[in-house]
Amino acid sequence: VQLQASGGGLVQSGGSLRLSCAASGSIFSINGMGWYRQAPGKQREFVASITTGGYRNYADSVKGRFTISRANAKNTAYLQMNDLKAEDTAVYYCNAYRVVLGGGRSDYWGQGTQVTVSS
């Protein structure tokens, strides 16, 4: 599975951005897609995810501001980010995963895309 992320940039506090992640390769094996982010000096953290069945999950810090969606026909996931705050500044990584036998999962990662929110 290969993931291509796009859509990052510089935006003022309170502004919006939309990230896209296009999947290719063995996409039939994917159970879900999502986004993680990593700010300077911090560990990578979960942001949002969506399963092939449409179940969405969000980090508490972005609930009500970010919306994840998926266009299955295009094998693409989107992250609409509204009311951005300075603390949202990070490199955002696209993720796809498949569940494996035994309850584990295999993760695939795209390249990061920088999101910078100026206050």
Side-chain angles (χ1 to χ4, degrees):
V1 176
Q2 294 79 45
L3 303 172
Q4 181 68 44
S6 61
L10 172 65
V11 64
Q12 290 187 333
S13 180
S16 298
L17 282 175
R18 189 177 84 153
L19 304 182
S20 299
C21 176
S24 60
S26 301
I27 57 177
F28 61 90
S29 65
I30 294 175
N31 297 112
M33 296 180 70
W35 294 91
Y36 288 69
R37 67 186 181 187
Q38 187 167 18
K42 295 187 177 181
Q43 290 188 332
R44 189 175 297 189
E45 64 175 7
F46 169 78
V47 176
S49 65
I50 184 168
T51 68
T52 52
Y55 176 78
R56 295 170 172 84
N57 193 28
Y58 297 95
D60 288 343
S61 59
V62 306
K63 282 181 181 177
R65 301 188 298 121
F66 291 12
T67 301
I68 190 168
S69 60
R70 182 171 175 175
N72 286 333
K74 296 182 178 180
N75 303 313
T76 301
Y78 304 96
L79 185 68
Q80 178 66 42
M81 305 184 293
N82 298 328
D83 189 24
L84 282 160
K85 305 176 181 180
E87 51 263 42
D88 295 318
T89 295
V91 177
Y92 284 69
Y93 294 91
C94 177
N95 167 269
Y97 68 90
R98 63 183 180 90
V99 177
V100 299
L101 291 176
R105 56 184 268 175
S106 291
D107 287 279
Y108 306 91
W109 297 96
Q111 89 286 6
T113 184
Q114 178 70 46
V115 171
T116 302
V117 184
S118 63
S119 56

PDB file of all heavy atoms in Angstrom, residues 49-69:
ATOM      1  N   SER A  49      -9.475   8.808  12.497  1.00  0.00           N
ATOM      2  CA  SER A  49      -9.473   7.633  11.633  1.00  0.00           C
ATOM      3  C   SER A  49     -10.890   7.326  11.172  1.00  0.00           C
ATOM      4  O   SER A  49     -11.871   7.777  11.775  1.00  0.00           O
ATOM      5  CB  SER A  49      -8.894   6.417  12.352  1.00  0.00           C
ATOM      6  OG  SER A  49      -9.721   6.040  13.437  1.00  0.00           O
ATOM      7  N   ILE A  50     -10.962   6.573  10.086  1.00  0.00           N
ATOM      8  CA  ILE A  50     -12.259   6.142   9.552  1.00  0.00           C
ATOM      9  C   ILE A  50     -12.099   4.739   8.994  1.00  0.00           C
ATOM     10  O   ILE A  50     -11.125   4.450   8.289  1.00  0.00           O
ATOM     11  CB  ILE A  50     -12.776   7.130   8.481  1.00  0.00           C
ATOM     12  CG1 ILE A  50     -14.174   6.727   8.000  1.00  0.00           C
ATOM     13  CG2 ILE A  50     -11.799   7.260   7.319  1.00  0.00           C
ATOM     14  CD1 ILE A  50     -14.853   7.812   7.159  1.00  0.00           C
ATOM     15  N   THR A  51     -13.034   3.860   9.328  1.00  0.00           N
ATOM     16  CA  THR A  51     -12.965   2.500   8.832  1.00  0.00           C
ATOM     17  C   THR A  51     -13.646   2.397   7.469  1.00  0.00           C
ATOM     18  O   THR A  51     -14.334   3.322   7.025  1.00  0.00           O
ATOM     19  CB  THR A  51     -13.652   1.532   9.794  1.00  0.00           C
ATOM     20  OG1 THR A  51     -15.072   1.801   9.796  1.00  0.00           O
ATOM     21  CG2 THR A  51     -13.104   1.680  11.208  1.00  0.00           C
ATOM     22  N   THR A  52     -13.472   1.276   6.831  1.00  0.00           N
ATOM     23  CA  THR A  52     -14.131   1.076   5.541  1.00  0.00           C
ATOM     24  C   THR A  52     -15.644   1.104   5.694  1.00  0.00           C
ATOM     25  O   THR A  52     -16.367   1.407   4.752  1.00  0.00           O
ATOM     26  CB  THR A  52     -13.705  -0.248   4.906  1.00  0.00           C
ATOM     27  OG1 THR A  52     -13.879  -1.304   5.857  1.00  0.00           O
ATOM     28  CG2 THR A  52     -12.242  -0.205   4.482  1.00  0.00           C
ATOM     29  N   GLY A  53     -16.117   0.793   6.885  1.00  0.00           N
ATOM     30  CA  GLY A  53     -17.554   0.843   7.154  1.00  0.00           C
ATOM     31  C   GLY A  53     -18.058   2.218   7.530  1.00  0.00           C
ATOM     32  O   GLY A  53     -19.267   2.406   7.725  1.00  0.00           O
ATOM     33  N   GLY A  54     -17.149   3.195   7.630  1.00  0.00           N
ATOM     34  CA  GLY A  54     -17.564   4.559   7.911  1.00  0.00           C
ATOM     35  C   GLY A  54     -17.504   4.978   9.365  1.00  0.00           C
ATOM     36  O   GLY A  54     -17.905   6.097   9.707  1.00  0.00           O
ATOM     37  N   TYR A  55     -17.029   4.103  10.237  1.00  0.00           N
ATOM     38  CA  TYR A  55     -16.924   4.481  11.645  1.00  0.00           C
ATOM     39  C   TYR A  55     -15.763   5.461  11.822  1.00  0.00           C
ATOM     40  O   TYR A  55     -14.636   5.188  11.411  1.00  0.00           O
ATOM     41  CB  TYR A  55     -16.702   3.261  12.523  1.00  0.00           C
ATOM     42  CG  TYR A  55     -16.498   3.595  13.974  1.00  0.00           C
ATOM     43  CD1 TYR A  55     -17.581   3.904  14.788  1.00  0.00           C
ATOM     44  CD2 TYR A  55     -15.228   3.626  14.535  1.00  0.00           C
ATOM     45  CE1 TYR A  55     -17.403   4.232  16.123  1.00  0.00           C
ATOM     46  CE2 TYR A  55     -15.041   3.946  15.864  1.00  0.00           C
ATOM     47  CZ  TYR A  55     -16.127   4.249  16.652  1.00  0.00           C
ATOM     48  OH  TYR A  55     -15.941   4.581  17.967  1.00  0.00           O
ATOM     49  N   ARG A  56     -16.056   6.573  12.498  1.00  0.00           N
ATOM     50  CA  ARG A  56     -15.053   7.614  12.696  1.00  0.00           C
ATOM     51  C   ARG A  56     -14.620   7.696  14.160  1.00  0.00           C
ATOM     52  O   ARG A  56     -15.421   7.508  15.064  1.00  0.00           O
ATOM     53  CB  ARG A  56     -15.608   8.976  12.266  1.00  0.00           C
ATOM     54  CG  ARG A  56     -15.919   9.079  10.779  1.00  0.00           C
ATOM     55  CD  ARG A  56     -16.687  10.352  10.485  1.00  0.00           C
ATOM     56  NE  ARG A  56     -16.836  10.588   9.065  1.00  0.00           N
ATOM     57  CZ  ARG A  56     -17.782  10.047   8.314  1.00  0.00           C
ATOM     58  NH1 ARG A  56     -18.662   9.205   8.860  1.00  0.00           N
ATOM     59  NH2 ARG A  56     -17.846  10.326   7.024  1.00  0.00           N
ATOM     60  N   ASN A  57     -13.358   8.033  14.327  1.00  0.00           N
ATOM     61  CA  ASN A  57     -12.818   8.214  15.660  1.00  0.00           C
ATOM     62  C   ASN A  57     -11.919   9.435  15.651  1.00  0.00           C
ATOM     63  O   ASN A  57     -11.195   9.661  14.678  1.00  0.00           O
ATOM     64  CB  ASN A  57     -12.030   6.971  16.093  1.00  0.00           C
ATOM     65  CG  ASN A  57     -11.715   6.982  17.567  1.00  0.00           C
ATOM     66  OD1 ASN A  57     -12.423   7.564  18.362  1.00  0.00           O
ATOM     67  ND2 ASN A  57     -10.628   6.323  17.938  1.00  0.00           N
ATOM     68  N   TYR A  58     -11.994  10.228  16.722  1.00  0.00           N
ATOM     69  CA  TYR A  58     -11.219  11.470  16.786  1.00  0.00           C
ATOM     70  C   TYR A  58     -10.507  11.597  18.117  1.00  0.00           C
ATOM     71  O   TYR A  58     -10.996  11.154  19.153  1.00  0.00           O
ATOM     72  CB  TYR A  58     -12.138  12.690  16.645  1.00  0.00           C
ATOM     73  CG  TYR A  58     -12.851  12.796  15.330  1.00  0.00           C
ATOM     74  CD1 TYR A  58     -14.140  12.310  15.174  1.00  0.00           C
ATOM     75  CD2 TYR A  58     -12.236  13.391  14.227  1.00  0.00           C
ATOM     76  CE1 TYR A  58     -14.808  12.410  13.970  1.00  0.00           C
ATOM     77  CE2 TYR A  58     -12.902  13.499  13.013  1.00  0.00           C
ATOM     78  CZ  TYR A  58     -14.183  13.000  12.890  1.00  0.00           C
ATOM     79  OH  TYR A  58     -14.828  13.101  11.686  1.00  0.00           O
ATOM     80  N   ALA A  59      -9.365  12.260  18.082  1.00  0.00           N
ATOM     81  CA  ALA A  59      -8.707  12.654  19.323  1.00  0.00           C
ATOM     82  C   ALA A  59      -9.551  13.746  19.977  1.00  0.00           C
ATOM     83  O   ALA A  59     -10.185  14.558  19.287  1.00  0.00           O
ATOM     84  CB  ALA A  59      -7.307  13.181  19.029  1.00  0.00           C
ATOM     85  N   ASP A  60      -9.567  13.769  21.291  1.00  0.00           N
ATOM     86  CA  ASP A  60     -10.368  14.767  22.002  1.00  0.00           C
ATOM     87  C   ASP A  60      -9.995  16.192  21.598  1.00  0.00           C
ATOM     88  O   ASP A  60     -10.850  17.077  21.554  1.00  0.00           O
ATOM     89  CB  ASP A  60     -10.193  14.592  23.508  1.00  0.00           C
ATOM     90  CG  ASP A  60     -10.884  13.345  24.045  1.00  0.00           C
ATOM     91  OD1 ASP A  60     -11.759  12.798  23.334  1.00  0.00           O
ATOM     92  OD2 ASP A  60     -10.536  12.913  25.153  1.00  0.00           O
ATOM     93  N   SER A  61      -8.738  16.400  21.316  1.00  0.00           N
ATOM     94  CA  SER A  61      -8.250  17.754  21.022  1.00  0.00           C
ATOM     95  C   SER A  61      -8.793  18.316  19.703  1.00  0.00           C
ATOM     96  O   SER A  61      -8.716  19.525  19.481  1.00  0.00           O
ATOM     97  CB  SER A  61      -6.720  17.771  20.989  1.00  0.00           C
ATOM     98  OG  SER A  61      -6.245  16.864  20.014  1.00  0.00           O
ATOM     99  N   VAL A  62      -9.328  17.456  18.852  1.00  0.00           N
ATOM    100  CA  VAL A  62      -9.806  17.944  17.543  1.00  0.00           C
ATOM    101  C   VAL A  62     -11.303  17.743  17.341  1.00  0.00           C
ATOM    102  O   VAL A  62     -11.848  18.175  16.324  1.00  0.00           O
ATOM    103  CB  VAL A  62      -9.033  17.280  16.381  1.00  0.00           C
ATOM    104  CG1 VAL A  62      -7.536  17.455  16.568  1.00  0.00           C
ATOM    105  CG2 VAL A  62      -9.397  15.809  16.237  1.00  0.00           C
ATOM    106  N   LYS A  63     -11.958  17.104  18.285  1.00  0.00           N
ATOM    107  CA  LYS A  63     -13.401  16.856  18.152  1.00  0.00           C
ATOM    108  C   LYS A  63     -14.148  18.175  17.993  1.00  0.00           C
ATOM    109  O   LYS A  63     -13.886  19.140  18.699  1.00  0.00           O
ATOM    110  CB  LYS A  63     -13.922  16.105  19.371  1.00  0.00           C
ATOM    111  CG  LYS A  63     -13.615  14.628  19.361  1.00  0.00           C
ATOM    112  CD  LYS A  63     -14.180  13.939  20.598  1.00  0.00           C
ATOM    113  CE  LYS A  63     -13.854  12.458  20.599  1.00  0.00           C
ATOM    114  NZ  LYS A  63     -14.333  11.775  21.824  1.00  0.00           N
ATOM    115  N   GLY A  64     -15.063  18.195  17.049  1.00  0.00           N
ATOM    116  CA  GLY A  64     -15.836  19.391  16.792  1.00  0.00           C
ATOM    117  C   GLY A  64     -15.168  20.359  15.836  1.00  0.00           C
ATOM    118  O   GLY A  64     -15.807  21.305  15.358  1.00  0.00           O
ATOM    119  N   ARG A  65     -13.911  20.161  15.553  1.00  0.00           N
ATOM    120  CA  ARG A  65     -13.187  21.051  14.631  1.00  0.00           C
ATOM    121  C   ARG A  65     -12.727  20.337  13.368  1.00  0.00           C
ATOM    122  O   ARG A  65     -12.695  20.931  12.291  1.00  0.00           O
ATOM    123  CB  ARG A  65     -11.968  21.655  15.334  1.00  0.00           C
ATOM    124  CG  ARG A  65     -12.293  22.458  16.574  1.00  0.00           C
ATOM    125  CD  ARG A  65     -11.076  23.188  17.119  1.00  0.00           C
ATOM    126  NE  ARG A  65     -10.021  22.259  17.538  1.00  0.00           N
ATOM    127  CZ  ARG A  65      -8.781  22.267  17.030  1.00  0.00           C
ATOM    128  NH1 ARG A  65      -8.457  23.141  16.098  1.00  0.00           N
ATOM    129  NH2 ARG A  65      -7.884  21.417  17.481  1.00  0.00           N
ATOM    130  N   PHE A  66     -12.342  19.081  13.495  1.00  0.00           N
ATOM    131  CA  PHE A  66     -11.847  18.296  12.360  1.00  0.00           C
ATOM    132  C   PHE A  66     -12.895  17.267  11.956  1.00  0.00           C
ATOM    133  O   PHE A  66     -13.605  16.712  12.794  1.00  0.00           O
ATOM    134  CB  PHE A  66     -10.564  17.557  12.730  1.00  0.00           C
ATOM    135  CG  PHE A  66      -9.361  18.430  12.945  1.00  0.00           C
ATOM    136  CD1 PHE A  66      -9.448  19.811  13.053  1.00  0.00           C
ATOM    137  CD2 PHE A  66      -8.104  17.857  13.059  1.00  0.00           C
ATOM    138  CE1 PHE A  66      -8.343  20.606  13.250  1.00  0.00           C
ATOM    139  CE2 PHE A  66      -6.976  18.633  13.268  1.00  0.00           C
ATOM    140  CZ  PHE A  66      -7.091  20.011  13.368  1.00  0.00           C
ATOM    141  N   THR A  67     -12.947  16.995  10.658  1.00  0.00           N
ATOM    142  CA  THR A  67     -13.853  15.971  10.134  1.00  0.00           C
ATOM    143  C   THR A  67     -13.092  15.093   9.148  1.00  0.00           C
ATOM    144  O   THR A  67     -12.481  15.609   8.200  1.00  0.00           O
ATOM    145  CB  THR A  67     -15.056  16.596   9.421  1.00  0.00           C
ATOM    146  OG1 THR A  67     -15.770  17.436  10.345  1.00  0.00           O
ATOM    147  CG2 THR A  67     -16.000  15.498   8.921  1.00  0.00           C
ATOM    148  N   ILE A  68     -13.138  13.805   9.386  1.00  0.00           N
ATOM    149  CA  ILE A  68     -12.500  12.867   8.463  1.00  0.00           C
ATOM    150  C   ILE A  68     -13.571  12.245   7.586  1.00  0.00           C
ATOM    151  O   ILE A  68     -14.687  11.960   8.043  1.00  0.00           O
ATOM    152  CB  ILE A  68     -11.692  11.791   9.215  1.00  0.00           C
ATOM    153  CG1 ILE A  68     -10.839  10.976   8.233  1.00  0.00           C
ATOM    154  CG2 ILE A  68     -12.586  10.902  10.068  1.00  0.00           C
ATOM    155  CD1 ILE A  68      -9.804  10.080   8.915  1.00  0.00           C
ATOM    156  N   SER A  69     -13.244  12.064   6.336  1.00  0.00           N
ATOM    157  CA  SER A  69     -14.176  11.433   5.403  1.00  0.00           C
ATOM    158  C   SER A  69     -13.383  10.589   4.423  1.00  0.00           C
ATOM    159  O   SER A  69     -12.145  10.665   4.370  1.00  0.00           O
ATOM    160  CB  SER A  69     -15.002  12.490   4.657  1.00  0.00           C
ATOM    161  OG  SER A  69     -14.168  13.350   3.915  1.00  0.00           O
TER     162      SER A  69
END
